[in-house]
Amino acid sequence: MSDQIETISTPLGIINGRDAIYLDKVEELFSPHCLSFSGEFNSALCSDTNDEENFISYQIIFEEILIFDCQHLDYCKYEVELLSNFDKVNSSSWMKSFNVPAEYIHYRFATYDYLYQIISKRYKLILEESGK
């Protein structure tokens, strides 16, 4: 069975577009093992906002990560398999290749420059309007 990609709807809706997610900081924490991203979403590229271009600060934390990968978006072989900037991969061949337990989820998070693939148990999204 091949990868089945599904968009993730956030409180801002579906996030989609090369300029949709700006990344300022990535932090890997080890106790517990988490990966934290912070930056800004371009609200004009979020499906459930009525704003013109406004920037909304975010922090997204992927919790209990097992594996992650980062590739520059211009050179990434997975770009054709993205439905949005934040997707979930069901029946993930990548997870199967590592024999990952079923309670983990394969996420794809595409920022302006990079595609992160993350296998973790869950994520938490924190939003704050920045008014840029």
Side-chain angles (χ1 to χ4, degrees):
M1 180 177 256
S2 64
D3 294 348
Q4 299 171 357
I5 300 161
E6 165 186 346
T7 58
I8 295 176
S9 186
T10 70
L12 301 173
I14 304 298
I15 302 166
N16 196 23
R18 177 76 187 246
D19 296 335
I21 301 177
Y22 291 95
L23 180 62
D24 295 327
K25 181 178 175 182
V26 179
E27 187 174 21
E28 184 176 7
L29 307 168
F30 293 98
S31 187
H33 198 197
C34 302
L35 198 58
S36 173
F37 299 85
S38 56
E40 295 178 319
F41 293 133
N42 179 344
S43 64
L45 297 172
C46 299
S47 66
D48 290 352
T49 62
N50 295 326
D51 294 339
E52 301 223 357
E53 192 168 288
N54 188 26
F55 291 90
I56 299 168
S57 295
Y58 71 86
Q59 180 182 22
I60 186 166
I61 303 165
F62 293 91
E63 299 174 326
E64 296 188 54
I65 63 167
L66 283 182
I67 303 165
F68 72 93
D69 177 61
C70 174
Q71 295 183 40
H72 196 283
L73 203 54
D74 291 336
Y75 302 100
C76 182
K77 66 181 179 179
Y78 303 106
E79 187 171 6
V80 296
E81 297 180 36
L82 293 172
L83 296 179
S84 73
N85 288 69
F86 190 26
D87 293 336
K88 179 171 109 173
V89 183
N90 300 309
S91 303
S92 168
S93 56
W94 197 45
M95 283 180 54
K96 288 176 187 164
S97 73
F98 290 105
N99 201 26
V100 173
E103 67 265 20
Y104 286 86
I105 301 165
H106 178 180
Y107 298 100
R108 289 186 178 152
F109 187 69
T111 68
Y112 181 80
D113 287 320
Y114 297 98
L115 172 65
Y116 289 87
Q117 295 202 80
I118 301 155
I119 295 175
S120 72
K121 285 195 174 177
R122 68 194 150 274
Y123 73 92
K124 176 173 49 175
L125 177 63
I126 302 161
L127 300 173
E128 180 181 320
E129 195 157 331
S130 65
K132 238 187 192 178

mmCIF file of all heavy atoms in Angstrom, residues 8 13 35 40-41 74 79 81 113:
data_model
loop_
_atom_site.group_PDB
_atom_site.id
_atom_site.type_symbol
_atom_site.label_atom_id
_atom_site.label_comp_id
_atom_site.label_asym_id
_atom_site.label_seq_id
_atom_site.Cartn_x
_atom_site.Cartn_y
_atom_site.Cartn_z
ATOM 1 N N ILE A 8 -3.728 18.579 7.117
ATOM 2 C CA ILE A 8 -4.090 18.799 8.514
ATOM 3 C C ILE A 8 -4.736 20.172 8.603
ATOM 4 O O ILE A 8 -4.157 21.171 8.188
ATOM 5 C CB ILE A 8 -2.856 18.710 9.428
ATOM 6 C CG1 ILE A 8 -2.310 17.285 9.398
ATOM 7 C CG2 ILE A 8 -3.205 19.152 10.845
ATOM 8 C CD1 ILE A 8 -1.028 17.098 10.181
ATOM 9 N N GLY A 13 -7.214 26.877 9.538
ATOM 10 C CA GLY A 13 -7.636 26.132 8.352
ATOM 11 C C GLY A 13 -6.448 25.414 7.734
ATOM 12 O O GLY A 13 -5.443 25.132 8.395
ATOM 13 N N LEU A 35 10.499 18.192 19.164
ATOM 14 C CA LEU A 35 11.051 19.094 18.161
ATOM 15 C C LEU A 35 10.120 20.296 18.119
ATOM 16 O O LEU A 35 8.913 20.152 17.899
ATOM 17 C CB LEU A 35 11.098 18.384 16.810
ATOM 18 C CG LEU A 35 11.988 18.965 15.733
ATOM 19 C CD1 LEU A 35 13.438 19.058 16.187
ATOM 20 C CD2 LEU A 35 11.895 18.127 14.472
ATOM 21 N N GLU A 40 6.283 32.413 11.782
ATOM 22 C CA GLU A 40 5.027 33.095 11.473
ATOM 23 C C GLU A 40 4.316 32.434 10.299
ATOM 24 O O GLU A 40 4.961 32.005 9.341
ATOM 25 C CB GLU A 40 5.286 34.558 11.136
ATOM 26 C CG GLU A 40 5.820 35.330 12.312
ATOM 27 C CD GLU A 40 6.129 36.772 11.963
ATOM 28 O OE1 GLU A 40 6.673 37.025 10.863
ATOM 29 O OE2 GLU A 40 5.827 37.633 12.796
ATOM 30 N N PHE A 41 2.991 32.373 10.430
ATOM 31 C CA PHE A 41 2.125 31.953 9.330
ATOM 32 C C PHE A 41 1.660 33.200 8.591
ATOM 33 O O PHE A 41 1.336 34.214 9.214
ATOM 34 C CB PHE A 41 0.868 31.228 9.826
ATOM 35 C CG PHE A 41 1.119 29.889 10.464
ATOM 36 C CD1 PHE A 41 0.507 29.577 11.666
ATOM 37 C CD2 PHE A 41 1.926 28.937 9.861
ATOM 38 C CE1 PHE A 41 0.692 28.340 12.255
ATOM 39 C CE2 PHE A 41 2.127 27.692 10.451
ATOM 40 C CZ PHE A 41 1.508 27.399 11.648
ATOM 41 N N ASP A 74 13.710 23.123 -2.361
ATOM 42 C CA ASP A 74 14.046 23.152 -3.787
ATOM 43 C C ASP A 74 14.678 21.850 -4.278
ATOM 44 O O ASP A 74 14.699 21.589 -5.474
ATOM 45 C CB ASP A 74 14.991 24.307 -4.097
ATOM 46 C CG ASP A 74 14.317 25.657 -3.956
ATOM 47 O OD1 ASP A 74 13.073 25.722 -4.078
ATOM 48 O OD2 ASP A 74 15.023 26.647 -3.716
ATOM 49 N N GLU A 79 8.404 16.878 -2.567
ATOM 50 C CA GLU A 79 7.579 18.056 -2.835
ATOM 51 C C GLU A 79 6.326 17.713 -3.638
ATOM 52 O O GLU A 79 5.263 18.237 -3.381
ATOM 53 C CB GLU A 79 8.386 19.136 -3.540
ATOM 54 C CG GLU A 79 7.612 20.424 -3.673
ATOM 55 C CD GLU A 79 8.477 21.555 -4.174
ATOM 56 O OE1 GLU A 79 9.636 21.333 -4.529
ATOM 57 O OE2 GLU A 79 7.964 22.671 -4.190
ATOM 58 N N GLU A 81 4.573 15.198 -3.435
ATOM 59 C CA GLU A 81 3.637 14.454 -2.603
ATOM 60 C C GLU A 81 2.994 15.311 -1.515
ATOM 61 O O GLU A 81 2.312 14.792 -0.658
ATOM 62 C CB GLU A 81 4.336 13.246 -1.976
ATOM 63 C CG GLU A 81 4.830 12.254 -3.009
ATOM 64 C CD GLU A 81 5.525 11.073 -2.375
ATOM 65 O OE1 GLU A 81 5.106 10.639 -1.291
ATOM 66 O OE2 GLU A 81 6.496 10.605 -2.966
ATOM 67 N N ASP A 113 11.558 27.405 3.136
ATOM 68 C CA ASP A 113 12.765 26.809 2.559
ATOM 69 C C ASP A 113 12.922 25.308 2.779
ATOM 70 O O ASP A 113 13.664 24.672 2.037
ATOM 71 C CB ASP A 113 14.015 27.483 3.133
ATOM 72 C CG ASP A 113 14.222 28.877 2.574
ATOM 73 O OD1 ASP A 113 13.997 29.073 1.370
ATOM 74 O OD2 ASP A 113 14.603 29.769 3.349
#
